[in-house]
Short mmCIF file of all heavy atoms in Angstrom, two decimals:
data_model
loop_
_atom_site.label_atom_id
_atom_site.label_comp_id
_atom_site.label_asym_id
_atom_site.label_seq_id
_atom_site.Cartn_x
_atom_site.Cartn_y
_atom_site.Cartn_z
N MET B 127 -1.62 -2.21 -5.97
CA MET B 127 -1.21 -3.13 -4.89
C MET B 127 -0.87 -2.26 -3.70
O MET B 127 -0.14 -1.28 -3.83
CB MET B 127 0.01 -3.92 -5.33
CG MET B 127 0.65 -4.73 -4.21
SD MET B 127 2.06 -5.75 -4.75
CE MET B 127 3.34 -4.50 -4.98
N THR B 128 -1.40 -2.59 -2.54
CA THR B 128 -1.09 -1.83 -1.33
C THR B 128 -0.48 -2.79 -0.31
O THR B 128 -0.99 -3.88 -0.09
CB THR B 128 -2.36 -1.18 -0.75
OG1 THR B 128 -3.01 -0.45 -1.79
CG2 THR B 128 -2.02 -0.24 0.39
N VAL B 129 0.64 -2.35 0.26
CA VAL B 129 1.38 -3.22 1.17
C VAL B 129 1.50 -2.53 2.53
O VAL B 129 1.66 -1.31 2.60
CB VAL B 129 2.79 -3.50 0.59
CG1 VAL B 129 3.61 -4.33 1.54
CG2 VAL B 129 2.66 -4.21 -0.75
N ALA B 130 1.44 -3.31 3.57
CA ALA B 130 1.64 -2.78 4.92
C ALA B 130 2.32 -3.84 5.76
O ALA B 130 2.28 -5.02 5.42
CB ALA B 130 0.30 -2.39 5.54
N CYS B 131 2.96 -3.41 6.82
CA CYS B 131 3.56 -4.41 7.71
C CYS B 131 3.56 -3.90 9.13
O CYS B 131 3.41 -2.71 9.40
CB CYS B 131 4.98 -4.75 7.25
SG CYS B 131 6.13 -3.40 7.38
N GLY B 132 3.70 -4.84 10.03
CA GLY B 132 3.76 -4.50 11.44
C GLY B 132 4.63 -5.49 12.19
O GLY B 132 4.78 -6.64 11.76
N THR B 133 5.22 -5.04 13.27
CA THR B 133 6.03 -5.94 14.10
C THR B 133 5.60 -5.78 15.55
O THR B 133 4.97 -4.78 15.92
CB THR B 133 7.52 -5.59 14.00
OG1 THR B 133 7.72 -4.24 14.39
CG2 THR B 133 8.05 -5.79 12.59
N CYS B 134 5.97 -6.73 16.35
CA CYS B 134 5.76 -6.65 17.79
C CYS B 134 6.93 -7.37 18.45
O CYS B 134 7.11 -8.58 18.27
CB CYS B 134 4.43 -7.30 18.18
SG CYS B 134 4.07 -7.17 19.94
N SER B 135 7.75 -6.62 19.19
CA SER B 135 8.93 -7.19 19.84
C SER B 135 8.56 -7.70 21.23
O SER B 135 7.71 -7.13 21.90
CB SER B 135 10.02 -6.12 19.98
OG SER B 135 10.25 -5.47 18.74
N GLY B 136 9.23 -8.76 21.66
CA GLY B 136 8.93 -9.30 22.98
C GLY B 136 9.86 -10.41 23.39
O GLY B 136 10.99 -10.48 22.92
N GLN B 137 9.35 -11.26 24.27
CA GLN B 137 10.14 -12.35 24.85
C GLN B 137 9.33 -13.65 24.81
O GLN B 137 8.10 -13.63 24.98
CB GLN B 137 10.46 -12.03 26.33
CG GLN B 137 11.22 -10.73 26.55
CD GLN B 137 12.73 -10.89 26.45
OE1 GLN B 137 13.25 -11.96 26.71
NE2 GLN B 137 13.42 -9.82 26.09
N ILE B 138 10.04 -14.76 24.62
CA ILE B 138 9.40 -16.07 24.67
C ILE B 138 9.35 -16.56 26.12
O ILE B 138 10.36 -16.53 26.82
CB ILE B 138 10.16 -17.08 23.79
CG1 ILE B 138 10.25 -16.58 22.34
CG2 ILE B 138 9.49 -18.46 23.85
CD1 ILE B 138 8.92 -16.39 21.66
N THR B 139 8.17 -17.00 26.52
CA THR B 139 7.98 -17.49 27.90
C THR B 139 8.68 -18.84 28.10
O THR B 139 9.18 -19.44 27.15
CB THR B 139 6.48 -17.69 28.19
OG1 THR B 139 5.97 -18.61 27.22
CG2 THR B 139 5.72 -16.38 28.09
N LEU B 140 8.68 -19.30 29.35
CA LEU B 140 9.25 -20.62 29.66
C LEU B 140 8.20 -21.72 29.53
O LEU B 140 8.53 -22.90 29.48
CB LEU B 140 9.83 -20.62 31.07
CG LEU B 140 10.99 -19.62 31.28
CD1 LEU B 140 11.37 -19.54 32.76
CD2 LEU B 140 12.21 -20.04 30.44
N ALA B 141 6.92 -21.32 29.50
CA ALA B 141 5.83 -22.31 29.37
C ALA B 141 4.60 -21.59 28.83
O ALA B 141 4.55 -20.35 28.82
CB ALA B 141 5.52 -22.93 30.72
N ARG B 142 3.61 -22.35 28.38
CA ARG B 142 2.38 -21.77 27.84
C ARG B 142 1.66 -20.94 28.90
O ARG B 142 1.61 -21.34 30.08
CB ARG B 142 1.44 -22.87 27.37
CG ARG B 142 1.86 -23.56 26.09
CD ARG B 142 0.99 -24.79 25.85
NE ARG B 142 1.35 -25.47 24.62
CZ ARG B 142 2.42 -26.26 24.49
NH1 ARG B 142 3.23 -26.45 25.52
NH2 ARG B 142 2.67 -26.86 23.34
N ARG B 143 1.07 -19.82 28.44
CA ARG B 143 0.27 -18.99 29.35
C ARG B 143 -0.94 -18.45 28.60
O ARG B 143 -0.78 -17.77 27.59
CB ARG B 143 1.11 -17.82 29.88
CG ARG B 143 2.18 -18.28 30.88
CD ARG B 143 3.26 -17.24 31.11
NE ARG B 143 2.74 -15.93 31.42
CZ ARG B 143 3.51 -14.84 31.57
NH1 ARG B 143 4.83 -14.94 31.47
NH2 ARG B 143 2.97 -13.68 31.84
N GLY B 144 -2.14 -18.75 29.11
CA GLY B 144 -3.36 -18.17 28.53
C GLY B 144 -4.00 -19.06 27.48
O GLY B 144 -3.39 -19.99 26.96
N GLN B 145 -5.26 -18.74 27.19
CA GLN B 145 -6.07 -19.55 26.28
C GLN B 145 -6.51 -18.78 25.04
O GLN B 145 -7.13 -19.35 24.15
CB GLN B 145 -7.35 -20.04 27.01
CG GLN B 145 -7.07 -20.81 28.30
CD GLN B 145 -6.35 -22.13 28.04
OE1 GLN B 145 -6.61 -22.80 27.04
NE2 GLN B 145 -5.42 -22.50 28.92
N GLY B 146 -6.23 -17.50 24.97
CA GLY B 146 -6.73 -16.69 23.85
C GLY B 146 -5.81 -16.77 22.64
O GLY B 146 -4.81 -17.48 22.63
N GLY B 147 -6.17 -15.99 21.61
CA GLY B 147 -5.32 -15.88 20.43
C GLY B 147 -5.15 -17.20 19.70
O GLY B 147 -6.01 -18.08 19.75
N PHE B 148 -4.02 -17.36 19.03
CA PHE B 148 -3.73 -18.58 18.29
C PHE B 148 -2.22 -18.59 18.02
O PHE B 148 -1.50 -17.69 18.45
CB PHE B 148 -4.55 -18.64 16.98
CG PHE B 148 -4.22 -17.58 15.98
CD1 PHE B 148 -3.39 -17.84 14.89
CD2 PHE B 148 -4.73 -16.30 16.13
CE1 PHE B 148 -3.08 -16.85 13.98
CE2 PHE B 148 -4.41 -15.30 15.21
CZ PHE B 148 -3.60 -15.57 14.14
N GLY B 149 -1.76 -19.61 17.31
CA GLY B 149 -0.35 -19.67 16.96
C GLY B 149 0.54 -19.69 18.19
O GLY B 149 0.33 -20.45 19.13
N TYR B 150 1.53 -18.82 18.20
CA TYR B 150 2.50 -18.77 19.30
C TYR B 150 2.07 -17.81 20.42
O TYR B 150 2.87 -17.50 21.30
CB TYR B 150 3.87 -18.35 18.75
CG TYR B 150 4.48 -19.34 17.77
CD1 TYR B 150 4.27 -19.21 16.41
CD2 TYR B 150 5.25 -20.41 18.22
CE1 TYR B 150 4.81 -20.11 15.50
CE2 TYR B 150 5.80 -21.32 17.33
CZ TYR B 150 5.58 -21.17 15.98
OH TYR B 150 6.12 -22.07 15.09
N ASP B 151 0.84 -17.33 20.37
CA ASP B 151 0.39 -16.35 21.37
C ASP B 151 0.60 -16.79 22.82
O ASP B 151 0.90 -15.94 23.67
CB ASP B 151 -1.09 -16.00 21.15
CG ASP B 151 -1.29 -15.11 19.93
OD1 ASP B 151 -0.29 -14.62 19.38
OD2 ASP B 151 -2.46 -14.91 19.53
N PRO B 152 0.46 -18.10 23.16
CA PRO B 152 0.68 -18.48 24.57
C PRO B 152 2.14 -18.36 25.02
O PRO B 152 2.42 -18.42 26.21
CB PRO B 152 0.24 -19.97 24.61
CG PRO B 152 -0.57 -20.17 23.37
CD PRO B 152 -0.04 -19.22 22.35
N LEU B 153 3.05 -18.18 24.07
CA LEU B 153 4.48 -18.16 24.40
C LEU B 153 5.11 -16.79 24.27
O LEU B 153 6.32 -16.65 24.43
CB LEU B 153 5.25 -19.14 23.49
CG LEU B 153 4.78 -20.58 23.43
CD1 LEU B 153 5.77 -21.41 22.62
CD2 LEU B 153 4.63 -21.16 24.83
N PHE B 154 4.32 -15.75 23.97
CA PHE B 154 4.91 -14.45 23.60
C PHE B 154 4.42 -13.34 24.51
O PHE B 154 3.22 -13.01 24.54
CB PHE B 154 4.56 -14.13 22.14
CG PHE B 154 5.27 -12.93 21.60
CD1 PHE B 154 6.53 -13.05 21.01
CD2 PHE B 154 4.70 -11.66 21.68
CE1 PHE B 154 7.20 -11.95 20.51
CE2 PHE B 154 5.37 -10.55 21.18
CZ PHE B 154 6.62 -10.69 20.60
N VAL B 155 5.35 -12.72 25.23
CA VAL B 155 5.04 -11.54 26.06
C VAL B 155 5.61 -10.31 25.38
O VAL B 155 6.83 -10.15 25.26
CB VAL B 155 5.64 -11.67 27.47
CG1 VAL B 155 5.37 -10.40 28.29
CG2 VAL B 155 5.08 -12.89 28.19
N PRO B 156 4.74 -9.41 24.88
CA PRO B 156 5.24 -8.20 24.21
C PRO B 156 6.06 -7.33 25.17
O PRO B 156 5.78 -7.29 26.37
CB PRO B 156 3.95 -7.47 23.80
CG PRO B 156 2.90 -8.54 23.76
CD PRO B 156 3.27 -9.51 24.85
N ASP B 157 7.05 -6.66 24.65
CA ASP B 157 7.86 -5.74 25.46
C ASP B 157 6.95 -4.73 26.17
O ASP B 157 6.02 -4.18 25.57
CB ASP B 157 8.86 -4.99 24.57
CG ASP B 157 10.03 -5.88 24.17
OD1 ASP B 157 10.27 -6.90 24.84
OD2 ASP B 157 10.70 -5.55 23.18
N GLY B 158 7.25 -4.49 27.43
CA GLY B 158 6.47 -3.52 28.20
C GLY B 158 5.23 -4.11 28.83
O GLY B 158 4.48 -3.41 29.53
N ARG B 159 4.95 -5.39 28.58
CA ARG B 159 3.78 -6.05 29.17
C ARG B 159 4.24 -7.21 30.07
O ARG B 159 5.39 -7.63 29.98
CB ARG B 159 2.86 -6.62 28.07
CG ARG B 159 2.46 -5.60 27.03
CD ARG B 159 1.62 -4.50 27.65
NE ARG B 159 1.53 -3.35 26.75
CZ ARG B 159 0.37 -2.89 26.27
NH1 ARG B 159 -0.75 -3.47 26.62
NH2 ARG B 159 0.36 -1.84 25.47
N THR B 160 3.32 -7.71 30.86
CA THR B 160 3.64 -8.89 31.68
C THR B 160 2.82 -10.09 31.25
O THR B 160 3.16 -11.22 31.57
CB THR B 160 3.39 -8.60 33.18
OG1 THR B 160 2.06 -8.07 33.32
CG2 THR B 160 4.39 -7.57 33.70
N ASP B 161 1.72 -9.85 30.52
CA ASP B 161 0.88 -10.95 30.04
C ASP B 161 1.37 -11.46 28.69
O ASP B 161 1.84 -10.68 27.85
CB ASP B 161 -0.56 -10.46 29.85
CG ASP B 161 -1.33 -10.40 31.16
OD1 ASP B 161 -0.86 -11.01 32.15
OD2 ASP B 161 -2.39 -9.76 31.19
N ALA B 162 1.21 -12.76 28.50
CA ALA B 162 1.41 -13.32 27.17
C ALA B 162 0.23 -12.89 26.28
O ALA B 162 -0.85 -12.57 26.78
CB ALA B 162 1.50 -14.83 27.23
N MET B 163 0.44 -12.90 24.98
CA MET B 163 -0.63 -12.49 24.07
C MET B 163 -1.90 -13.31 24.27
O MET B 163 -3.00 -12.80 24.14
CB MET B 163 -0.16 -12.58 22.63
CG MET B 163 0.59 -11.34 22.19
SD MET B 163 0.70 -11.27 20.39
CE MET B 163 1.39 -9.64 20.15
#
Side-chain angles (χ1 to χ4, degrees):
Chain B
M127 171 177 74
T128 308
V129 177
C131 66
T133 58
C134 183
S135 309
Q137 302 272 333
I138 302 299
T139 58
L140 298 172
R142 287 171 179 77
R143 289 163 50 184
Q145 304 295 324
F148 64 100
Y150 296 92
D151 286 350
L153 305 187
F154 188 88
V155 177
D157 284 340
R159 307 296 165 120
T160 52
D161 280 344
M163 275 197 172

